Amino acid sequence: MTKLVISASARRDIAGALQHSGKRWGEKQRRHYRLLIENALGDLLDIPEPPASRARDEIRPGIRTFHIARRGHPARHLIVYRVAPDGIIQVIRLLHDAMELSRAILDISDEK
């Protein structure tokens, strides 16, 4: 069974995105956004390199991004992750798609 590990930075990112969503668009939208994030993480567990994910070797070899948006459910965040040699999916960050990813992911060498 594939295992998913979410870094402390990614947990903070998720909490911040949900807090922002709730303040800006209300509790119903916050719950919806949380569901989008949970579904995207579940998709990664099913297929660690789904067709919709993107290799981001220009940032660092092995880094991938996966957009949380789904058909009919727009969203602006990407899950930044890598698959470790042992098959564990390491979620590094949840970042807004307008961010400069290489600047947001400066030191990911050992964070889990």
Side-chain angles (χ1 to χ4, degrees):
M1 181 176 170
T2 304
K3 183 178 177 185
L4 186 123
V5 176
I6 302 174
S7 73
S9 294
R11 289 180 189 281
R12 285 189 299 271
D13 294 339
I14 291 167
L18 293 175
Q19 182 180 26
H20 175 77
S21 182
K23 283 183 180 178
R24 178 104 190 234
W25 293 286
E27 181 61 23
K28 182 178 177 183
Q29 182 61 28
R30 187 198 66 77
R31 286 192 309 269
H32 177 73
Y33 214 70
R34 180 183 176 110
L35 187 59
L36 282 175
I37 294 168
E38 289 173 355
N39 287 340
L41 292 171
D43 289 347
L44 288 178
L45 279 172
D46 291 340
I47 306 171
E49 293 184 10
S53 73
R54 180 175 169 203
R56 301 305 300 258
D57 291 331
E58 77 277 9
I59 297 170
R60 182 164 293 162
I63 297 297
R64 300 188 69 80
T65 57
F66 186 57
H67 215 290
I68 69 165
R70 296 295 179 265
R71 177 176 279 175
H73 302 280
R76 297 290 312 265
H77 284 84
L78 301 165
I79 296 171
V80 180
Y81 72 103
R82 63 183 161 204
V83 180
D86 59 4
I88 293 175
I89 300 166
Q90 300 171 339
V91 176
I92 300 162
R93 300 289 307 264
L94 178 80
L95 299 174
H96 194 276
D97 62 10
M99 292 181 82
E100 176 63 41
L101 296 181
S102 60
R103 287 183 184 202
I105 307 170
L106 294 176
D107 183 24
I108 59 169
S109 56
D110 295 318
E111 186 167 356
K112 293 180 183 174

